[in-house]
Amino acid sequence: MRIAEELGLRVSPRLRVVALTGAGISLESGVPIFRGEGSMWEIPEARRLASRAGPPWNTRGTWEYYEWRRGLVSRCKPNPAHYALAEMEEYFEDFCLITQNVDGLHSRAGSRRVLELHGSMWRGRCLECGRVIELPETPLKALPPLCACGRPLRPDVVQFGEPIDPAVLSSALAACRSAELFLVVGTSAVVYPAAQMPLIAIESGARAVEINPNPTPLTPFMSLSIRGRAAESLPRLWEELLSSASA
Ligand SMILES: [Zn+2]
């Protein structure tokens, strides 16, 4: 049976779709994960640099750590899963991409509206005047980079224990409540508030599809779980959904 039929969905540009992505989609582009086996914590240099990063986050030590990470990410490329999500945004009139990633790969793949729950390593934020400034170049000319007001910027990344931007969070939750199809890609979504999002969507009536190489705590709640790499499985799913739209 076709997937759309199986899910009981009519695919058209009016279908309301939300996608939630996490570290798994970036890992397939070579972006190192931050914790666990094979993560950057196993690299002594990363641990040394990370130990110098800390509140108030607008220091040279923090930026040395972020510049190291920005340098790694700048050598990575978006993969076919990132591009499939950018195509979906073009096709669906009401499409919302929510990511836990801070690497900017969705934007580089052409996604225009991305709700970045944890911010972006390609922006700085001023603790003094609140300005948010794009910092697309790496390496930066000076560390820490300075705001227009002359004060040092901090990375515009939500650090562990810090709250998510309320405007970003409320947009994401509103999208979850109105979704008809919810895609969970490369995340086990165990971290609040991302963990809630698929469940909110499902309670509101969405059909949920997970793409992950391994079962996750969300698997029992899914309408469909696809075991595989996002870079292969997501473009295939997208092609399959599109083919049922034109049929
Ligand atoms: Zn400022």
Side-chain angles (χ1 to χ4, degrees):
M1 203 196 289
R2 309 296 291 272
I3 288 176
E5 258 175 65
E6 205 176 306
L7 294 171
L9 293 173
R10 273 194 55 170
V11 179
S12 83
R14 284 183 299 282
L15 186 70
R16 293 189 299 276
V17 181
V18 173
L20 172 68
T21 67
I25 190 171
S26 294
L27 183 64
E28 292 179 26
S29 284
V31 177
I33 50 172
F34 303 122
R35 298 273 179 184
E37 204 179 323
S39 73
M40 57 163 54
W41 289 101
E42 292 177 350
I43 308 170
E45 174 74 355
R47 286 203 302 274
R48 187 180 67 78
L49 287 168
S51 71
R52 296 168 61 189
W57 307 107
N58 60 353
T59 59
R60 184 179 176 89
T62 292
W63 280 103
E64 282 171 351
Y65 172 54
Y66 270 88
E67 275 297 80
W68 181 76
R69 285 176 55 182
R70 284 157 50 97
L72 290 179
V73 169
S74 71
R75 292 190 285 278
C76 299
K77 292 189 174 67
N79 66 57
H82 292 103
Y83 289 111
L85 290 163
E87 283 177 25
M88 288 184 200
E89 181 181 2
E90 287 292 315
Y91 176 79
F92 294 111
E93 290 162 10
D94 191 348
F95 179 81
C96 181
L97 176 55
I98 306 169
T99 188
Q100 297 164 277
N101 300 334
V102 299
D103 52 47
L105 288 179
H106 285 303
S107 303
R108 276 171 57 195
S111 288
R112 284 169 294 129
R113 282 173 294 113
V114 188
L115 294 177
E116 294 171 316
L117 292 178
H118 298 152
S120 169
M121 57 165 65
W122 302 104
R123 292 191 302 264
R125 180 156 52 83
C126 182
L127 293 171
E128 190 71 20
C129 71
R131 274 194 190 87
V132 172
I133 294 177
E134 303 286 335
L135 299 170
E137 303 297 329
T138 185
L140 292 163
K141 286 190 187 70
L143 300 183
L146 298 180
C147 178
C149 78
R151 305 286 297 185
L153 297 167
R154 61 163 277 175
D156 190 25
V157 171
V158 176
Q159 304 293 334
F160 190 74
E162 288 186 327
I164 288 171
D165 181 329
V168 172
L169 184 56
S170 76
S171 299
L173 292 174
C176 293
R177 284 190 285 265
S178 73
E180 295 169 285
L181 172 60
F182 195 101
L183 304 172
V184 188
V185 184
T187 175
S188 51
V190 288
V191 181
Y192 175 86
Q196 276 189 320
M197 291 179 180
L199 302 176
I200 289 171
I202 292 164
E203 274 170 29
S204 309
R207 312 297 285 161
V209 177
E210 169 186 66
I211 295 177
N212 204 294
N214 305 302
T216 75
L218 290 170
T219 302
F221 304 99
M222 294 289 128
S223 309
L224 173 67
S225 282
I226 300 171
R227 294 277 152 265
R229 297 172 65 241
E232 287 152 13
S233 303
L234 186 60
R236 203 178 301 145
L237 173 67
W238 171 224
E239 198 177 306
E240 151 74 34
L241 289 174
L242 259 186
S243 70
S244 56
S246 51

